[in-house]
Amino acid sequence: MIEQYEISLAVVADAAAIAELSRDTIERGLPWSWNVRRVARSIRDRSTNVVVARQARGLLGFAIMKYEEEEAHLLLLAVHAAARRKGIGSALLEWLEVTVAIAGIGVVRLETRANNQGARLFYRRHGFEEVGMQHGYYQGIEDALQMCKDLRRPR
C-alpha cells in the first residue's frame, strides 16, 4: 500500500532517479535518451517543470512538462510499477494541468507509444483525445500516438 506522498518540483539531485525510471519504463527497448544530464538540464530550464511524487523511501514517479506561448507539451510521465494504479500518475498530471491553467495556456499535447494501451486509456480518462500518428517518432523504431487536451473546453 502506498502511504502518503508529496508532489513537488524536482531538484537536480533527483535527476539520476528520474533518468533511471525513464530508461526502465518509458524508454524500455529504445536507446536511452533521457539520461541524467538531459533530465538535469530540464530541471534547470525555466520553461520546463519537472515534478516528482515522493515519500520518505524515495521517488514514486515524475512528470516533465515544457511550456510554450500557446501550448504545453507533456514530455514524460512515469510511475514505478509497484506504485501504479494508486492515483500517483493522476496527481502528477493534475498538478501540471493546474500550473498550465494558471499560466493561461489552454492546450496540452503529448505523445505516447502507439502500442501502449495502458497509457492511451490513462490519458483518455483524463480528457485527452487522439489527434494523429507520427511514424518512427521514437528514434525511428516505434510510432507515436499524438494526443491533445483543450483545457478551455468543459468536460
Side-chain angles (χ1 to χ4, degrees):
M1 177 172 206
I2 298 296
E3 301 161 13
Q4 288 188 345
Y5 59 91
E6 86 172 14
I7 296 177
S8 62
L9 289 171
V11 296
V12 173
D14 295 320
I18 292 168
E20 290 169 10
L21 183 55
S22 176
R23 179 195 63 209
D24 296 344
T25 59
I26 299 169
E27 299 181 86
R28 185 185 63 257
L30 298 170
W32 189 22
S33 67
W34 281 91
N35 57 35
V36 175
R37 197 161 106 187
R38 185 175 182 191
V39 171
R41 192 170 51 243
S42 292
I43 291 169
R44 288 189 211 94
D45 181 8
R46 294 179 64 198
S47 65
T48 304
N49 275 343
V50 181
V51 294
V52 293
R54 75 172 93 238
Q55 59 184 185
R57 288 181 285 208
L59 186 83
L60 299 171
F62 75 92
I64 302 177
M65 177 90 78
K66 179 89 169 166
Y67 300 89
E68 299 166 10
E69 284 187 40
E70 302 292 324
E71 297 180 348
H73 188 180
L74 181 61
L75 300 173
L76 299 173
L77 187 149
V79 175
H80 276 287
R84 291 187 190 144
R85 299 200 172 284
K86 310 230 185 303
I88 295 166
S90 296
L92 288 164
L93 186 58
E94 182 179 325
W95 192 101
L96 289 167
E97 286 182 1
V98 167
T99 304
V100 167
I102 290 169
I105 298 171
V107 176
V108 177
R109 295 190 180 279
L110 64 87
E111 294 81 28
T112 188
R113 289 185 186 203
N115 64 0
N116 187 340
Q117 293 301 319
R120 291 170 79 163
L121 290 171
F122 171 82
Y123 291 119
R124 275 194 223 125
R125 260 193 338 268
H126 289 283
F128 284 82
E129 297 176 358
E130 298 178 3
V131 295
M133 186 74 71
Q134 193 162 350
H135 299 288
Y137 178 83
Y138 294 102
Q139 302 178 25
I141 298 170
E142 280 196 55
D143 298 341
L145 176 66
Q146 298 167 317
M147 301 184 83
C148 181
K149 181 176 182 178
D150 187 339
L151 299 173
R152 301 165 294 201
R153 188 173 29 195
R155 286 182 65 189

